[in-house]
Amino acid sequence: MAGKREPQKLIANNKKAYHDYFVEESYEAGVALHGTEVKSMRMGKCSIKEAFIRIERGEIFVYGMHVSPYEKGNLFNKDPLRVKKLLMHKQEIGRLAGKVAEKGYTLVPLQVYFKNGRVKVEVGLCRGKKLYDKRQDMARKDMRRETEREFKVKNL
């Protein structure tokens, strides 16, 4: 059973990021957590809707990632909105720092999931969308939805 891998279990997804940004690249990073936070995440109590990522002194941190306190954790529970350190290779952090220094790029957490029993965050290198870009995306989605609806009606 050494080669058997468990599938990824999604904990939280950031749909708003795909609406507000063009995702250029994505990276996988581990998260430094305390025990009760992991137990809370196993129950799916995590939100990254308002979260963002910063690089400070060669280390990468996620701000605003809300992990609800574990019910049975009492005094071991940590602050739900505490800053969490992400675990990435130094070369990757350096590459991301260089890209973020360019105009218009930012780092956004796209999703949080379990992979082989460990909590991982998908970090997206993103460029902000303008209002007209969002309108084009919405129009494209509406058109696709309309064609699917027409196709369903014809096939009934």
Side-chain angles (χ1 to χ4, degrees):
M1 283 198 215
K4 190 173 184 182
R5 299 233 181 240
E6 71 176 64
Q8 293 181 359
K9 181 187 172 219
L10 188 66
I11 301 169
N13 197 359
N14 193 352
K15 292 180 182 176
K16 187 179 175 193
Y18 292 102
H19 182 264
D20 292 341
Y21 300 100
F22 291 114
V23 179
E24 303 284 321
E25 299 175 29
S26 63
Y27 297 86
E28 183 178 77
V31 187
L33 297 171
H34 289 80
T36 55
E37 290 175 322
V38 176
K39 289 182 177 187
S40 182
M41 283 195 170
R42 288 204 187 282
M43 295 179 1
K45 309 258 177 156
C46 177
S47 173
I48 55 171
K49 282 190 172 76
E50 300 296 320
F52 61 96
I53 296 173
R54 280 202 184 135
I55 298 174
E56 299 168 354
R57 298 179 307 279
E59 295 181 326
I60 187 166
F61 297 94
V62 63
Y63 292 82
M65 180 171 152
H66 187 280
V67 179
S68 298
Y70 183 58
E71 289 126 23
K72 300 174 182 124
N74 57 39
L75 71 129
F76 297 108
N77 282 333
K78 300 288 179 191
D79 177 32
L81 286 172
R82 79 176 178 87
V83 178
K84 292 156 192 71
K85 183 178 178 180
L86 296 181
L87 308 171
M88 292 179 83
H89 292 285
K90 197 166 243 162
Q91 296 88 353
E92 287 181 318
I93 294 173
R95 190 178 318 123
L96 287 174
K99 290 277 193 173
V100 170
E102 292 179 26
K103 188 179 177 223
Y105 281 106
T106 186
L107 295 173
V108 179
L110 301 176
Q111 59 184 6
V112 180
Y113 54 91
F114 277 106
K115 182 178 179 183
N116 300 328
R118 292 180 170 42
V119 178
K120 303 285 185 181
V121 174
E122 186 177 345
V123 177
L125 181 66
C126 304
R127 207 169 24 102
K129 282 186 182 178
K130 304 278 190 256
L131 185 61
Y132 58 83
D133 291 327
K134 293 179 188 178
R135 286 185 183 144
Q136 287 174 350
D137 282 351
M138 287 171 40
R140 212 176 291 128
K141 283 180 187 175
D142 287 343
M143 212 151 40
R144 186 176 47 83
R145 202 175 299 126
E146 283 293 322
T147 56
E148 285 176 3
R149 194 176 294 141
E150 288 174 14
F151 185 71
K152 273 186 184 175
V153 170
K154 289 179 182 177
N155 287 341
L156 287 177

